[in-house]
PDB file of all heavy atoms in Angstrom:
ATOM      1  N   LEU A 222     -16.458   3.652   3.432  1.00  0.00           N
ATOM      2  CA  LEU A 222     -15.218   4.422   3.454  1.00  0.00           C
ATOM      3  C   LEU A 222     -14.819   4.776   4.887  1.00  0.00           C
ATOM      4  O   LEU A 222     -13.645   4.928   5.193  1.00  0.00           O
ATOM      5  CB  LEU A 222     -15.346   5.688   2.616  1.00  0.00           C
ATOM      6  CG  LEU A 222     -15.521   5.449   1.114  1.00  0.00           C
ATOM      7  CD1 LEU A 222     -15.579   6.773   0.375  1.00  0.00           C
ATOM      8  CD2 LEU A 222     -14.397   4.578   0.555  1.00  0.00           C
ATOM      9  N   SER A 223     -15.813   4.910   5.755  1.00  0.00           N
ATOM     10  CA  SER A 223     -15.498   5.126   7.168  1.00  0.00           C
ATOM     11  C   SER A 223     -16.597   4.524   8.028  1.00  0.00           C
ATOM     12  O   SER A 223     -17.735   4.349   7.575  1.00  0.00           O
ATOM     13  CB  SER A 223     -15.317   6.617   7.477  1.00  0.00           C
ATOM     14  OG  SER A 223     -16.526   7.298   7.300  1.00  0.00           O
ATOM     15  N   LEU A 224     -16.220   4.214   9.254  1.00  0.00           N
ATOM     16  CA  LEU A 224     -17.107   3.484  10.148  1.00  0.00           C
ATOM     17  C   LEU A 224     -16.737   3.856  11.577  1.00  0.00           C
ATOM     18  O   LEU A 224     -15.547   3.854  11.934  1.00  0.00           O
ATOM     19  CB  LEU A 224     -16.870   1.989   9.921  1.00  0.00           C
ATOM     20  CG  LEU A 224     -17.787   0.939  10.479  1.00  0.00           C
ATOM     21  CD1 LEU A 224     -19.220   1.199  10.091  1.00  0.00           C
ATOM     22  CD2 LEU A 224     -17.344  -0.430   9.953  1.00  0.00           C
ATOM     23  N   VAL A 225     -17.746   4.163  12.376  1.00  0.00           N
ATOM     24  CA  VAL A 225     -17.512   4.482  13.788  1.00  0.00           C
ATOM     25  C   VAL A 225     -18.322   3.508  14.627  1.00  0.00           C
ATOM     26  O   VAL A 225     -19.533   3.377  14.410  1.00  0.00           O
ATOM     27  CB  VAL A 225     -17.925   5.932  14.111  1.00  0.00           C
ATOM     28  CG1 VAL A 225     -17.681   6.232  15.598  1.00  0.00           C
ATOM     29  CG2 VAL A 225     -17.166   6.915  13.245  1.00  0.00           C
ATOM     30  N   VAL A 226     -17.666   2.808  15.528  1.00  0.00           N
ATOM     31  CA  VAL A 226     -18.338   1.816  16.370  1.00  0.00           C
ATOM     32  C   VAL A 226     -17.873   1.982  17.817  1.00  0.00           C
ATOM     33  O   VAL A 226     -16.971   2.784  18.103  1.00  0.00           O
ATOM     34  CB  VAL A 226     -18.047   0.376  15.885  1.00  0.00           C
ATOM     35  CG1 VAL A 226     -18.527   0.183  14.449  1.00  0.00           C
ATOM     36  CG2 VAL A 226     -16.568   0.026  16.021  1.00  0.00           C
ATOM     37  N   HIS A 227     -18.502   1.218  18.713  1.00  0.00           N
ATOM     38  CA  HIS A 227     -18.070   1.194  20.105  1.00  0.00           C
ATOM     39  C   HIS A 227     -17.372  -0.118  20.405  1.00  0.00           C
ATOM     40  O   HIS A 227     -17.621  -1.140  19.749  1.00  0.00           O
ATOM     41  CB  HIS A 227     -19.266   1.400  21.040  1.00  0.00           C
ATOM     42  CG  HIS A 227     -19.751   2.817  21.020  1.00  0.00           C
ATOM     43  ND1 HIS A 227     -20.773   3.249  20.217  1.00  0.00           N
ATOM     44  CD2 HIS A 227     -19.337   3.910  21.710  1.00  0.00           C
ATOM     45  CE1 HIS A 227     -20.971   4.535  20.399  1.00  0.00           C
ATOM     46  NE2 HIS A 227     -20.121   4.967  21.298  1.00  0.00           N
ATOM     47  N   GLU A 228     -16.525  -0.071  21.389  1.00  0.00           N
ATOM     48  CA  GLU A 228     -15.813  -1.283  21.810  1.00  0.00           C
ATOM     49  C   GLU A 228     -16.794  -2.420  22.018  1.00  0.00           C
ATOM     50  O   GLU A 228     -17.871  -2.228  22.605  1.00  0.00           O
ATOM     51  CB  GLU A 228     -15.058  -1.021  23.117  1.00  0.00           C
ATOM     52  CG  GLU A 228     -13.668  -0.478  22.919  1.00  0.00           C
ATOM     53  CD  GLU A 228     -12.840  -0.497  24.192  1.00  0.00           C
ATOM     54  OE1 GLU A 228     -13.390  -0.199  25.272  1.00  0.00           O
ATOM     55  OE2 GLU A 228     -11.656  -0.828  24.107  1.00  0.00           O
ATOM     56  N   GLY A 229     -16.410  -3.592  21.556  1.00  0.00           N
ATOM     57  CA  GLY A 229     -17.259  -4.761  21.709  1.00  0.00           C
ATOM     58  C   GLY A 229     -18.109  -5.056  20.488  1.00  0.00           C
ATOM     59  O   GLY A 229     -18.595  -6.180  20.331  1.00  0.00           O
ATOM     60  N   ASP A 230     -18.291  -4.063  19.616  1.00  0.00           N
ATOM     61  CA  ASP A 230     -19.075  -4.290  18.398  1.00  0.00           C
ATOM     62  C   ASP A 230     -18.313  -5.204  17.450  1.00  0.00           C
ATOM     63  O   ASP A 230     -17.086  -5.329  17.520  1.00  0.00           O
ATOM     64  CB  ASP A 230     -19.359  -2.961  17.693  1.00  0.00           C
ATOM     65  CG  ASP A 230     -20.360  -2.112  18.445  1.00  0.00           C
ATOM     66  OD1 ASP A 230     -20.988  -2.614  19.402  1.00  0.00           O
ATOM     67  OD2 ASP A 230     -20.520  -0.922  18.068  1.00  0.00           O
ATOM     68  N   THR A 231     -19.061  -5.811  16.518  1.00  0.00           N
ATOM     69  CA  THR A 231     -18.475  -6.580  15.419  1.00  0.00           C
ATOM     70  C   THR A 231     -18.621  -5.770  14.139  1.00  0.00           C
ATOM     71  O   THR A 231     -19.674  -5.181  13.897  1.00  0.00           O
ATOM     72  CB  THR A 231     -19.182  -7.931  15.269  1.00  0.00           C
ATOM     73  OG1 THR A 231     -18.900  -8.727  16.423  1.00  0.00           O
ATOM     74  CG2 THR A 231     -18.701  -8.672  14.028  1.00  0.00           C
ATOM     75  N   VAL A 232     -17.559  -5.723  13.345  1.00  0.00           N
ATOM     76  CA  VAL A 232     -17.614  -4.958  12.094  1.00  0.00           C
ATOM     77  C   VAL A 232     -17.262  -5.859  10.916  1.00  0.00           C
ATOM     78  O   VAL A 232     -16.514  -6.828  11.052  1.00  0.00           O
ATOM     79  CB  VAL A 232     -16.672  -3.739  12.115  1.00  0.00           C
ATOM     80  CG1 VAL A 232     -17.055  -2.774  13.214  1.00  0.00           C
ATOM     81  CG2 VAL A 232     -15.225  -4.149  12.233  1.00  0.00           C
ATOM     82  N   THR A 233     -17.831  -5.505   9.764  1.00  0.00           N
ATOM     83  CA  THR A 233     -17.535  -6.198   8.510  1.00  0.00           C
ATOM     84  C   THR A 233     -17.122  -5.167   7.484  1.00  0.00           C
ATOM     85  O   THR A 233     -17.878  -4.231   7.190  1.00  0.00           O
ATOM     86  CB  THR A 233     -18.761  -6.972   8.001  1.00  0.00           C
ATOM     87  OG1 THR A 233     -19.110  -7.963   8.971  1.00  0.00           O
ATOM     88  CG2 THR A 233     -18.448  -7.652   6.680  1.00  0.00           C
ATOM     89  N   LEU A 234     -15.920  -5.331   6.955  1.00  0.00           N
ATOM     90  CA  LEU A 234     -15.417  -4.430   5.918  1.00  0.00           C
ATOM     91  C   LEU A 234     -15.440  -5.175   4.590  1.00  0.00           C
ATOM     92  O   LEU A 234     -15.121  -6.369   4.535  1.00  0.00           O
ATOM     93  CB  LEU A 234     -13.981  -3.987   6.243  1.00  0.00           C
ATOM     94  CG  LEU A 234     -13.747  -3.431   7.659  1.00  0.00           C
ATOM     95  CD1 LEU A 234     -12.313  -2.950   7.801  1.00  0.00           C
ATOM     96  CD2 LEU A 234     -14.721  -2.336   7.997  1.00  0.00           C
ATOM     97  N   ASN A 235     -15.808  -4.448   3.544  1.00  0.00           N
ATOM     98  CA  ASN A 235     -15.999  -5.072   2.245  1.00  0.00           C
ATOM     99  C   ASN A 235     -14.975  -4.601   1.220  1.00  0.00           C
ATOM    100  O   ASN A 235     -14.547  -3.439   1.249  1.00  0.00           O
ATOM    101  CB  ASN A 235     -17.391  -4.724   1.709  1.00  0.00           C
ATOM    102  CG  ASN A 235     -18.478  -5.166   2.657  1.00  0.00           C
ATOM    103  OD1 ASN A 235     -18.746  -6.337   2.809  1.00  0.00           O
ATOM    104  ND2 ASN A 235     -19.108  -4.202   3.332  1.00  0.00           N
ATOM    105  N   CYS A 236     -14.642  -5.510   0.323  1.00  0.00           N
ATOM    106  CA  CYS A 236     -13.719  -5.180  -0.761  1.00  0.00           C
ATOM    107  C   CYS A 236     -14.177  -5.915  -2.010  1.00  0.00           C
ATOM    108  O   CYS A 236     -14.222  -7.152  -2.025  1.00  0.00           O
ATOM    109  CB  CYS A 236     -12.304  -5.599  -0.386  1.00  0.00           C
ATOM    110  SG  CYS A 236     -11.088  -5.335  -1.700  1.00  0.00           S
ATOM    111  N   SER A 237     -14.546  -5.179  -3.055  1.00  0.00           N
ATOM    112  CA  SER A 237     -14.910  -5.821  -4.316  1.00  0.00           C
ATOM    113  C   SER A 237     -13.876  -5.441  -5.368  1.00  0.00           C
ATOM    114  O   SER A 237     -13.237  -4.393  -5.269  1.00  0.00           O
ATOM    115  CB  SER A 237     -16.313  -5.399  -4.759  1.00  0.00           C
ATOM    116  OG  SER A 237     -16.341  -4.021  -5.026  1.00  0.00           O
ATOM    117  N   TYR A 238     -13.713  -6.293  -6.362  1.00  0.00           N
ATOM    118  CA  TYR A 238     -12.651  -6.033  -7.337  1.00  0.00           C
ATOM    119  C   TYR A 238     -13.070  -6.461  -8.737  1.00  0.00           C
ATOM    120  O   TYR A 238     -13.909  -7.348  -8.910  1.00  0.00           O
ATOM    121  CB  TYR A 238     -11.361  -6.745  -6.925  1.00  0.00           C
ATOM    122  CG  TYR A 238     -11.466  -8.247  -6.856  1.00  0.00           C
ATOM    123  CD1 TYR A 238     -11.157  -9.042  -7.958  1.00  0.00           C
ATOM    124  CD2 TYR A 238     -11.868  -8.880  -5.674  1.00  0.00           C
ATOM    125  CE1 TYR A 238     -11.252 -10.421  -7.897  1.00  0.00           C
ATOM    126  CE2 TYR A 238     -11.967 -10.261  -5.603  1.00  0.00           C
ATOM    127  CZ  TYR A 238     -11.655 -11.029  -6.708  1.00  0.00           C
ATOM    128  OH  TYR A 238     -11.767 -12.390  -6.646  1.00  0.00           O
ATOM    129  N   GLU A 239     -12.470  -5.776  -9.693  1.00  0.00           N
ATOM    130  CA  GLU A 239     -12.583  -6.157 -11.098  1.00  0.00           C
ATOM    131  C   GLU A 239     -11.184  -6.036 -11.666  1.00  0.00           C
ATOM    132  O   GLU A 239     -10.720  -4.923 -11.922  1.00  0.00           O
ATOM    133  CB  GLU A 239     -13.490  -5.191 -11.864  1.00  0.00           C
ATOM    134  CG  GLU A 239     -14.946  -5.229 -11.500  1.00  0.00           C
ATOM    135  CD  GLU A 239     -15.729  -4.154 -12.257  1.00  0.00           C
ATOM    136  OE1 GLU A 239     -15.338  -3.824 -13.406  1.00  0.00           O
ATOM    137  OE2 GLU A 239     -16.705  -3.631 -11.694  1.00  0.00           O
ATOM    138  N   VAL A 240     -10.502  -7.157 -11.787  1.00  0.00           N
ATOM    139  CA  VAL A 240      -9.148  -7.130 -12.354  1.00  0.00           C
ATOM    140  C   VAL A 240      -9.009  -8.317 -13.295  1.00  0.00           C
ATOM    141  O   VAL A 240      -9.677  -9.336 -13.136  1.00  0.00           O
ATOM    142  CB  VAL A 240      -8.042  -7.213 -11.276  1.00  0.00           C
ATOM    143  CG1 VAL A 240      -8.129  -6.051 -10.316  1.00  0.00           C
ATOM    144  CG2 VAL A 240      -8.077  -8.527 -10.535  1.00  0.00           C
ATOM    145  N   THR A 241      -8.109  -8.180 -14.243  1.00  0.00           N
ATOM    146  CA  THR A 241      -7.779  -9.309 -15.115  1.00  0.00           C
ATOM    147  C   THR A 241      -6.672 -10.112 -14.451  1.00  0.00           C
ATOM    148  O   THR A 241      -5.833  -9.573 -13.734  1.00  0.00           O
ATOM    149  CB  THR A 241      -7.299  -8.797 -16.475  1.00  0.00           C
ATOM    150  OG1 THR A 241      -6.262  -7.838 -16.282  1.00  0.00           O
ATOM    151  CG2 THR A 241      -8.441  -8.137 -17.227  1.00  0.00           C
ATOM    152  N   ASN A 242      -6.681 -11.411 -14.664  1.00  0.00           N
ATOM    153  CA  ASN A 242      -5.621 -12.291 -14.155  1.00  0.00           C
ATOM    154  C   ASN A 242      -5.418 -12.199 -12.650  1.00  0.00           C
ATOM    155  O   ASN A 242      -4.308 -12.025 -12.163  1.00  0.00           O
ATOM    156  CB  ASN A 242      -4.274 -11.987 -14.835  1.00  0.00           C
ATOM    157  CG  ASN A 242      -4.338 -12.175 -16.330  1.00  0.00           C
ATOM    158  OD1 ASN A 242      -4.868 -13.161 -16.807  1.00  0.00           O
ATOM    159  ND2 ASN A 242      -3.836 -11.216 -17.054  1.00  0.00           N
ATOM    160  N   PHE A 243      -6.486 -12.356 -11.902  1.00  0.00           N
ATOM    161  CA  PHE A 243      -6.409 -12.313 -10.448  1.00  0.00           C
ATOM    162  C   PHE A 243      -5.459 -13.395  -9.949  1.00  0.00           C
ATOM    163  O   PHE A 243      -5.486 -14.545 -10.380  1.00  0.00           O
ATOM    164  CB  PHE A 243      -7.810 -12.552  -9.864  1.00  0.00           C
ATOM    165  CG  PHE A 243      -7.817 -12.681  -8.362  1.00  0.00           C
ATOM    166  CD1 PHE A 243      -7.975 -11.550  -7.574  1.00  0.00           C
ATOM    167  CD2 PHE A 243      -7.670 -13.921  -7.743  1.00  0.00           C
ATOM    168  CE1 PHE A 243      -7.992 -11.658  -6.194  1.00  0.00           C
ATOM    169  CE2 PHE A 243      -7.683 -14.040  -6.365  1.00  0.00           C
ATOM    170  CZ  PHE A 243      -7.848 -12.905  -5.596  1.00  0.00           C
ATOM    171  N   ARG A 244      -4.621 -12.996  -8.965  1.00  0.00           N
ATOM    172  CA  ARG A 244      -3.720 -13.956  -8.330  1.00  0.00           C
ATOM    173  C   ARG A 244      -3.995 -14.044  -6.830  1.00  0.00           C
ATOM    174  O   ARG A 244      -4.090 -15.140  -6.279  1.00  0.00           O
ATOM    175  CB  ARG A 244      -2.275 -13.545  -8.573  1.00  0.00           C
ATOM    176  CG  ARG A 244      -1.238 -14.385  -7.827  1.00  0.00           C
ATOM    177  CD  ARG A 244       0.149 -13.883  -8.135  1.00  0.00           C
ATOM    178  NE  ARG A 244       1.116 -14.229  -7.130  1.00  0.00           N
ATOM    179  CZ  ARG A 244       2.198 -14.980  -7.387  1.00  0.00           C
ATOM    180  NH1 ARG A 244       2.411 -15.462  -8.595  1.00  0.00           N
ATOM    181  NH2 ARG A 244       3.053 -15.249  -6.426  1.00  0.00           N
ATOM    182  N   SER A 245      -4.129 -12.904  -6.170  1.00  0.00           N
ATOM    183  CA  SER A 245      -4.357 -12.929  -4.722  1.00  0.00           C
ATOM    184  C   SER A 245      -4.951 -11.602  -4.274  1.00  0.00           C
ATOM    185  O   SER A 245      -4.857 -10.593  -4.977  1.00  0.00           O
ATOM    186  CB  SER A 245      -3.049 -13.185  -3.961  1.00  0.00           C
ATOM    187  OG  SER A 245      -2.121 -12.159  -4.212  1.00  0.00           O
ATOM    188  N   LEU A 246      -5.576 -11.627  -3.094  1.00  0.00           N
ATOM    189  CA  LEU A 246      -6.105 -10.417  -2.474  1.00  0.00           C
ATOM    190  C   LEU A 246      -5.477 -10.303  -1.095  1.00  0.00           C
ATOM    191  O   LEU A 246      -5.383 -11.295  -0.363  1.00  0.00           O
ATOM    192  CB  LEU A 246      -7.634 -10.502  -2.379  1.00  0.00           C
ATOM    193  CG  LEU A 246      -8.363  -9.266  -1.855  1.00  0.00           C
ATOM    194  CD1 LEU A 246      -9.697  -9.073  -2.564  1.00  0.00           C
ATOM    195  CD2 LEU A 246      -8.554  -9.299  -0.354  1.00  0.00           C
ATOM    196  N   LEU A 247      -5.040  -9.101  -0.768  1.00  0.00           N
ATOM    197  CA  LEU A 247      -4.346  -8.874   0.495  1.00  0.00           C
ATOM    198  C   LEU A 247      -5.076  -7.815   1.319  1.00  0.00           C
ATOM    199  O   LEU A 247      -5.633  -6.858   0.768  1.00  0.00           O
ATOM    200  CB  LEU A 247      -2.911  -8.404   0.243  1.00  0.00           C
ATOM    201  CG  LEU A 247      -1.966  -9.407  -0.411  1.00  0.00           C
ATOM    202  CD1 LEU A 247      -2.021  -9.310  -1.928  1.00  0.00           C
ATOM    203  CD2 LEU A 247      -0.532  -9.191   0.060  1.00  0.00           C
ATOM    204  N   TRP A 248      -5.050  -7.979   2.621  1.00  0.00           N
ATOM    205  CA  TRP A 248      -5.554  -6.983   3.563  1.00  0.00           C
ATOM    206  C   TRP A 248      -4.385  -6.461   4.402  1.00  0.00           C
ATOM    207  O   TRP A 248      -3.552  -7.240   4.883  1.00  0.00           O
ATOM    208  CB  TRP A 248      -6.602  -7.585   4.505  1.00  0.00           C
ATOM    209  CG  TRP A 248      -7.942  -7.831   3.886  1.00  0.00           C
ATOM    210  CD1 TRP A 248      -8.412  -8.988   3.353  1.00  0.00           C
ATOM    211  CD2 TRP A 248      -9.002  -6.866   3.753  1.00  0.00           C
ATOM    212  NE1 TRP A 248      -9.700  -8.819   2.904  1.00  0.00           N
ATOM    213  CE2 TRP A 248     -10.095  -7.532   3.140  1.00  0.00           C
ATOM    214  CE3 TRP A 248      -9.157  -5.514   4.095  1.00  0.00           C
ATOM    215  CZ2 TRP A 248     -11.307  -6.887   2.857  1.00  0.00           C
ATOM    216  CZ3 TRP A 248     -10.353  -4.883   3.818  1.00  0.00           C
ATOM    217  CH2 TRP A 248     -11.409  -5.566   3.207  1.00  0.00           C
ATOM    218  N   TYR A 249      -4.379  -5.136   4.574  1.00  0.00           N
ATOM    219  CA  TYR A 249      -3.387  -4.481   5.418  1.00  0.00           C
ATOM    220  C   TYR A 249      -4.106  -3.603   6.439  1.00  0.00           C
ATOM    221  O   TYR A 249      -5.193  -3.097   6.179  1.00  0.00           O
ATOM    222  CB  TYR A 249      -2.479  -3.556   4.581  1.00  0.00           C
ATOM    223  CG  TYR A 249      -1.452  -4.254   3.731  1.00  0.00           C
ATOM    224  CD1 TYR A 249      -1.767  -4.720   2.470  1.00  0.00           C
ATOM    225  CD2 TYR A 249      -0.146  -4.410   4.197  1.00  0.00           C
ATOM    226  CE1 TYR A 249      -0.802  -5.347   1.686  1.00  0.00           C
ATOM    227  CE2 TYR A 249       0.828  -5.031   3.410  1.00  0.00           C
ATOM    228  CZ  TYR A 249       0.470  -5.486   2.161  1.00  0.00           C
ATOM    229  OH  TYR A 249       1.431  -6.103   1.387  1.00  0.00           O
ATOM    230  N   LYS A 250      -3.431  -3.386   7.577  1.00  0.00           N
ATOM    231  CA  LYS A 250      -3.905  -2.449   8.588  1.00  0.00           C
ATOM    232  C   LYS A 250      -2.889  -1.305   8.660  1.00  0.00           C
ATOM    233  O   LYS A 250      -1.676  -1.549   8.732  1.00  0.00           O
ATOM    234  CB  LYS A 250      -3.977  -3.135   9.959  1.00  0.00           C
ATOM    235  CG  LYS A 250      -4.375  -2.216  11.102  1.00  0.00           C
ATOM    236  CD  LYS A 250      -4.359  -2.969  12.429  1.00  0.00           C
ATOM    237  CE  LYS A 250      -4.772  -2.075  13.584  1.00  0.00           C
ATOM    238  NZ  LYS A 250      -4.708  -2.780  14.893  1.00  0.00           N
ATOM    239  N   GLN A 251      -3.390  -0.070   8.629  1.00  0.00           N
ATOM    240  CA  GLN A 251      -2.482   1.077   8.692  1.00  0.00           C
ATOM    241  C   GLN A 251      -2.892   2.000   9.829  1.00  0.00           C
ATOM    242  O   GLN A 251      -3.929   2.641   9.775  1.00  0.00           O
ATOM    243  CB  GLN A 251      -2.498   1.846   7.371  1.00  0.00           C
ATOM    244  CG  GLN A 251      -1.495   2.992   7.339  1.00  0.00           C
ATOM    245  CD  GLN A 251      -1.543   3.774   6.047  1.00  0.00           C
ATOM    246  OE1 GLN A 251      -2.544   3.765   5.334  1.00  0.00           O
ATOM    247  NE2 GLN A 251      -0.451   4.452   5.718  1.00  0.00           N
TER     248      GLN A 251
END
Side-chain angles (χ1 to χ4, degrees):
Chain A
L222 294 182
S223 66
L224 192 53
V225 179
V226 300
H227 287 95
E228 272 192 320
D230 289 350
T231 293
V232 299
T233 298
L234 309 184
N235 302 289
C236 176
S237 64
Y238 62 92
E239 292 176 31
V240 300
T241 52
N242 300 314
F243 174 90
R244 174 180 157 119
S245 61
L246 185 144
L247 294 89
W248 285 96
Y249 285 85
K250 176 183 181 182
Q251 184 182 22

